[in-house]
Amino acid sequence: MSEFDAITEASLVAKGGRKWSTFPGSIGAFIAEMDFGVAPAVRQALREIDERDLFGYAPYDLTADLKSATANFYADRFGWRIPVDHIQPASDVIAAFLGVLTHLTPADTPIVLPTPAYMPFFDVAKTTGRELIEVPMLRTETGWTLDLDAIAAALVPGATLVLCNPHNPIGKVYTEAELLGLAEVVEAAGARVFSDEIHAPVVYDPARHIPYATLTEATAAHTATATAASKAFNLPGLKCAQLILTDAEDRAVWKEKGQFVSGAASNPGIIATTAAYTHGGDWLAEVTAYLKGNRDHLTDLVTELLPNATYIPPEGTYLAWLDLRGYGLEGHLAQRFNERAKVAITEGRLCGEVGAGHIRFNFALPRPLLTEAIERIARTL
Ligand SMILES: Cc1ncc(COP(=O)(O)O)c(C=O)c1O
């Protein structure tokens, strides 16, 4: 038995994080936070804020440490040797996305988004006034594939294709062949890629994460990659992400125009991220093993208790995408399950038009609560 099994609903409610306080009385399975706390190394490192009175602007040694820690983590895990001057801080991945669109892509070019997709990508498109073209993923017998023909039709020179790998909400981890296929289409169109790799550290064997920018010279040149320790190490409130600019011209523009985005990373975020990347490996391994167990348990629960649901077990992330169309439910599913089952999940429709009749379920829960959540949902069906 894992120590995570013993975490109770009462203790999570008492802590009052957003996942457990937004919908009182409901099991929090919506926003992408985990219920397992943080790595001891992160907690320890954060003492430095108090000890060094780090309440001012980020000193340059902190930023330098963040860059080296990021480079070392990516080299160790993914074999990607990133020169530290290619790494820029940001407060979060979404702010980095907004910054990339604003500063590194031509105005009035569309955003092309494979769907279902992480909800804020739609909001960012609205904020920038850019056209957003949804390209539904193709569902095969066993998984999902990108609709490369539809992507090719949607892309124009300067357009931004959003690649989310591992893919929130479907949990897909792209293979090298798939990424190379995408690269060909992007290159032929003269388009760009924003590669959101925030979930890269949480990938389950035998899947393997391949950073898109590492594939070829062309992918390095047409890509801006964003990542953060915030999902895998459970730190999203601390505000620190990393933007990896593999194109020299992008770096030159960022030097001139990216300062407000990069200056928005917080001292606690920088320190926590550095500690997580440097000393958090054992904790991450423990959490990933537990999540894999949860993923498999969820698969069993769905088979047994939700026979009309369709679900492809994710290869990465702690998010599950459940197709409930087989139940013929009407209306807003998140509201329905929150009211009737006391389980808070994410409405699939927020992930794009193709999300109608689906829900996104965050399974980073203590396993007894995961069981309880699916049992409660099943009882209402
Ligand atoms: C794919 C993806 N990108 C970005 C984010 C948000 O990250 P941040 O808080 O760094 O903006 C999330 C959070 O769940 C996510 O799943």
Side-chain angles (χ1 to χ4, degrees), residues 32 92-94 118 121 164 168 196 198-199 228 230-231 236 239 241:
D92 50 74
V93 164
I94 289 302
Y118 174 55
F121 292 143
C164 186
N168 170 2
D196 178 339
I198 195 169
H199 291 281
S230 58
K231 295 295 115 182
K239 294 292 157 197

Side-chain angles (χ1 to χ4, degrees), residues 17 29 57 164 237 291 304 380:
Y57 296 110
C164 186
L291 288 171
E304 194 187 326
T380 69

Side-chain angles (χ1 to χ4, degrees), residues 244-273:
I244 303 163
L245 297 175
T246 36
D247 176 66
E249 206 178 310
D250 283 348
R251 290 196 293 277
V253 175
W254 197 260
K255 207 169 176 185
E256 224 178 281
K257 300 183 176 170
Q259 54 185 316
F260 301 121
V261 177
S262 283
S266 82
N267 289 356
I270 294 171
I271 286 176
T273 301

Side-chain angles (χ1 to χ4, degrees), residues 31-33 91-96 118-121 164-168 194 196-199 227-228 230-231 236-237 239-241 317-319 360:
I31 199 166
E33 296 176 357
S91 57
D92 50 74
V93 164
I94 289 302
Y118 174 55
M119 308 73 75
F121 292 143
C164 186
N165 183 26
H167 189 137
N168 170 2
F194 177 75
D196 178 339
E197 303 187 10
I198 195 169
H199 291 281
T227 191
S230 58
K231 295 295 115 182
K239 294 292 157 197
C240 178
T317 81
Y318 36 88
L319 304 165
R360 191 190 77 163

Side-chain angles (χ1 to χ4, degrees), residues 128-308:
T128 57
R130 306 253 176 132
E131 181 191 3
L132 182 128
I133 305 172
E134 296 187 29
V135 179
M137 302 277 301
L138 301 174
R139 179 78 155 71
T140 66
E141 273 288 295
T142 50
W144 300 88
T145 53
L146 288 166
D147 186 344
L148 291 182
D149 291 339
I151 290 174
L155 288 175
V156 294
T160 305
L161 182 284
V162 179
L163 172 67
C164 186
N165 183 26
H167 189 137
N168 170 2
I170 56 176
K172 179 179 172 62
V173 175
Y174 289 86
T175 63
E176 183 172 3
E178 288 174 310
L179 295 173
L180 285 170
L182 176 66
E184 212 172 287
V185 168
V186 170
E187 209 42 29
R192 307 227 41 187
V193 169
F194 177 75
S195 188
D196 178 339
E197 303 187 10
I198 195 169
H199 291 281
V202 180
V203 164
Y204 309 116
D205 281 342
R208 191 169 64 90
H209 175 73
I210 302 168
Y212 177 77
T214 62
L215 284 174
T216 64
E217 274 178 33
T219 63
H222 69 219
T223 304
T225 304
T227 191
S230 58
K231 295 295 115 182
F233 292 96
N234 213 19
L235 314 166
L238 296 189
K239 294 292 157 197
C240 178
Q242 302 84 53
L243 179 62
I244 303 163
L245 297 175
T246 36
D247 176 66
E249 206 178 310
D250 283 348
R251 290 196 293 277
V253 175
W254 197 260
K255 207 169 176 185
E256 224 178 281
K257 300 183 176 170
Q259 54 185 316
F260 301 121
V261 177
S262 283
S266 82
N267 289 356
I270 294 171
I271 286 176
T273 301
T274 303
Y277 281 158
T278 311
H279 303 295
D282 289 347
W283 184 88
L284 179 62
E286 186 188 353
V287 167
T288 306
Y290 189 76
L291 288 171
K292 189 174 188 225
N294 273 8
R295 190 261 326 247
D296 295 343
H297 184 54
L298 177 61
T299 307
D300 293 343
L301 288 168
V302 170
T303 308
E304 194 187 326
L305 301 175
L306 302 175
N308 296 340

